[in-house]
Amino acid sequence: MKTNTATLIDNRTGKHYEFDILEATRGPSVVDISTFYKKTGMFTYDVGYTSTASCTSSITFIDGEKGELRYRGIDIKKLAKEHTYLENCYLLLNGSMPNADELKRFDLELRHRSFIDEDLKRLISTFPDSAHPMSILSSGVSALSSFYFEHLNMHNIQECQDMARRIIAKIPTLAAFAYRKSLGIPFIYPDIDRSFTENFLYMLRAYPGGKMKRGMDGEEEIKPIEIKALDTIFTLHADHEQNASTTVVRNVASTGAHPYVAISSGIAALWGRAHGGANESVIAQLEMIGSVENIGKYIAKAKDPNDEFRLMGFGHRVYKNFDPRAEVLKELQDELKEELNLDSNLMAIASKIEEIALSDEYFIERKLYPNVDFYSGVILSALKIEKSMFTPIFVIGRTVGWIAHLLEFRVDSSSKIARPRQLYRGE
Ligand code: ACO
């Protein structure tokens, strides 16, 4: 008898059905139920895919119980502390860290590809000034498929890499243009003398003619510590295996749609408050709470089963002890406290909420810990970034992850169109 199988017994009939168990290199093995319907005439039921592996992947690994996250086998803390976002992008796309020459070529390529077509710029201009940057961003990325329609069919690795590098390079420009449009101020073109992360801050902050704000002591240049902080935030958001938006990207790509349309769908999925939109909601919530004295009232609301209020930035489908990304950001927040103007009132409210929640039975029982979004908002505010840009910043970091998954999906011979079944209970 084969031992690497699992047997299902239908207790209504006593029939036995056997399924193969596939071993993972890390984490749980899976029961291969692809023949389940054929063998049993039944479907499996798993709302929200809490126990379902929808693909084979070798990009990112998470152990939610241990609070472990790895890109291509390397621990996130090491990657965040010892490597730049661009190195991590290269790692996610290619499977290994670049050498000095590869990194330089990659960097230069992204700098030169960072410009967007003037017609796309005009399209962005047509949005109302009040439009949320996420709405402009997802539309802009979808429109990008018209400018690079040839990426619908990619036949070799070079074409795939061109498609990937093009969108990774252009996303910061689209996000910065979306932001400036939402404020009704002129667009600032990329500056190829600046690194990926510095250039994004420059496009947000600069005045026409490439000038920076004039302070009493002269031009307010972008500080290296600000670049480091944002670069780390990009790295921490770069991939997160089969999260909601990545699943959307894979599912849209599974129909044969254009890669940039699939990324645009991922952006739309990320926008929700339960996912990437949480970072904007965290700060909005801290501002609404207003002072440490009001916290008790909101903790009570979060615990009330009849109240829809949730503590934003708490809880995670996978992490049940801590979110390792949140740990890196908490350390970074402490580092920045000295050097940047972190909002002391917001920080005081955030620390108190964290302290109360971590010792409260309700949160302990449900394993609700601060997630990455709980800390990123305070740091981004210190970089003088508006809350409406927090989720677009998540998009900039995550684009490489979406693209890596899309490419993995395309070369996997077992990939299929995503088409789940249902438990029908209607007439
Ligand atoms: N505040 C208060 N209670 C919460 C919270 C919260 N933030 N999160 C979960 N709960 C409670 C639920 O009410 C539920 O309680 P019950 O068992 O008494 O009914 C229990 O904890 C389990 O919650 P679920 O919603 O079933 O957990 P799920 O894994 O489906 O959801 C999620 C995870 C969406 C992240 C959830 O914790 C949440 O809404 N958090 C706030 C939003 C947030 O921070 N999202 C960012 C996630 S990280 C990311 O996407 C980058």
Side-chain angles (χ1 to χ4, degrees):
M1 183 187 159
K2 268 164 82 183
T3 52
N4 55 341
T5 59
T7 303
L8 173 97
I9 304 169
D10 183 339
N11 292 322
R12 298 169 306 180
T13 59
K15 277 192 181 168
H16 285 52
Y17 303 98
E18 210 168 284
F19 299 96
D20 287 339
I21 295 176
L22 310 178
E23 299 296 342
T25 49
R26 290 179 193 269
S29 309
V30 303
V31 180
D32 180 357
I33 55 159
S34 51
T35 55
F36 195 88
Y37 174 56
K38 217 166 159 185
K39 285 182 177 164
T40 68
M42 290 185 285
F43 299 140
T44 58
Y45 187 62
D46 181 18
V47 178
Y49 312 121
T50 56
S51 304
T52 297
S54 60
C55 61
T56 302
S57 184
S58 51
I59 302 171
T60 291
F61 173 74
I62 301 174
D63 184 327
E65 300 301 323
K66 287 195 199 144
E68 189 181 333
L69 167 62
R70 292 172 184 275
Y71 298 160
R72 302 286 188 185
I74 309 173
D75 187 74
I76 190 65
K77 288 187 181 158
K78 182 176 167 62
L79 292 173
K81 286 176 187 168
E82 296 174 19
H83 295 278
T84 63
Y85 175 67
L86 279 204
E87 288 175 293
N88 285 307
C89 271
Y90 190 98
L91 170 74
L92 284 164
L93 276 182
N94 299 285
S96 60
M97 275 290 171
N99 61 32
D101 190 53
E102 286 165 337
L103 182 62
K104 183 151 191 201
R105 273 177 211 286
F106 185 56
D107 182 0
L108 287 176
E109 186 177 345
L110 295 192
R111 288 180 198 227
H112 290 104
R113 286 194 190 275
S114 61
F115 296 83
I116 60 168
D117 194 289
E118 287 294 304
D119 283 338
L120 184 51
K121 190 184 89 177
R122 273 190 284 281
L123 183 73
I124 292 174
S125 306
T126 60
F127 279 80
D129 284 352
S130 57
H132 193 289
M134 280 297 281
S135 145
I136 306 178
L137 189 53
S138 73
S139 308
V141 171
S142 179
L144 212 53
S145 63
S146 316
F147 293 88
Y148 301 99
F149 193 66
E150 70 272 22
H151 292 325
L152 181 61
N153 296 308
M154 292 167 289
H155 303 99
N156 57 47
I157 292 175
Q158 190 50 51
E159 284 174 355
C160 291
Q161 284 287 335
D162 284 350
M163 178 281 292
R165 292 168 185 221
R166 191 165 259 148
I167 191 155
I168 292 167
K170 292 184 198 310
I171 277 275
T173 312
L174 283 167
F177 279 27
Y179 171 64
R180 297 188 74 102
K181 175 61 202 167
S182 73
L183 295 182
I185 58 175
F187 301 132
I188 299 291
Y189 286 102
D191 176 356
I192 58 168
D193 280 341
R194 297 179 190 258
S195 69
F196 183 91
T197 301
E198 179 186 355
N199 181 50
F200 175 65
L201 282 171
Y202 162 79
M203 287 189 287
L204 291 186
R205 290 184 189 174
Y207 285 75
K211 311 269 187 231
M212 301 306 285
K213 188 174 179 179
R214 297 283 188 273
M216 294 301 280
D217 301 323
E219 223 171 353
E220 289 182 4
E221 262 306 331
I222 299 164
K223 297 180 188 139
I225 182 97
E226 295 180 302
I227 301 168
K228 182 193 160 200
L230 186 57
D231 203 75
T232 306
I233 288 179
F234 285 153
T235 291
L236 295 174
H237 288 88
D239 194 39
H240 216 228
E241 50 115 308
Q242 312 308 321
N243 60 88
S245 54
T246 302
T247 298
V248 165
V249 169
R250 278 185 179 261
N251 285 356
V252 174
S254 81
T255 68
H258 192 288
Y260 295 166
V261 174
I263 300 295
S264 166
S265 313
I267 295 173
L270 189 82
W271 194 4
R273 274 161 28 107
H275 193 11
N279 56 10
E280 183 179 344
S281 305
V282 167
I283 290 294
Q285 196 169 84
L286 294 178
E287 287 169 352
M288 181 186 74
I289 293 172
S291 76
V292 171
E293 293 74 58
N294 296 332
I295 293 173
K297 185 170 90 193
Y298 287 98
I299 296 271
K301 274 167 79 62
K303 288 160 57 174
D304 181 352
N306 300 315
D307 193 326
E308 282 185 357
F309 181 87
R310 282 190 171 198
L311 268 193
M312 286 292 131
F314 270 79
H316 198 277
R317 171 62 64 78
V318 179
Y319 295 120
K320 297 299 173 199
N321 275 318
F322 63 90
D323 178 342
R325 303 166 302 172
E327 288 200 331
V328 175
L329 281 189
K330 194 169 157 50
E331 274 177 41
L332 185 65
Q333 190 175 293
D334 291 340
E335 233 180 90
L336 295 175
K337 218 184 293 177
E338 306 302 316
E339 309 199 40
L340 291 178
N341 190 19
L342 294 190
D343 185 321
S344 50
N345 186 41
L346 286 190
M347 274 187 67
I349 301 170
S351 312
K352 195 69 193 165
I353 290 179
E354 189 187 349
E355 186 191 315
I356 297 176
L358 292 182
S359 57
D360 187 296
E361 260 320 293
Y362 174 92
F363 292 88
I364 295 170
E365 249 174 40
R366 291 168 181 76
K367 302 192 171 193
L368 300 171
Y369 295 86
N371 58 50
V372 66
D373 292 326
F374 189 69
Y375 299 103
S376 59
V378 174
I379 297 174
L380 292 174
S381 300
L383 301 183
K384 304 187 215 65
I385 294 172
E386 293 284 333
K387 354 183 230 304
S388 64
M389 281 306 284
F390 292 2
T391 316
I393 282 172
F394 196 152
V395 169
I396 296 174
R398 182 56 55 87
T399 297
V400 66
W402 289 328
I403 285 286
H405 282 272
L406 193 146
L407 292 177
E408 188 178 66
F409 177 89
R410 284 179 73 100
V411 298
D412 183 350
S413 59
S414 63
S415 292
K416 278 185 186 321
I417 185 170
R419 193 1 181 139
R421 301 301 192 121
Q422 65 176 5
L423 170 63
Y424 183 69
R425 287 249 169 100
E427 288 298 312

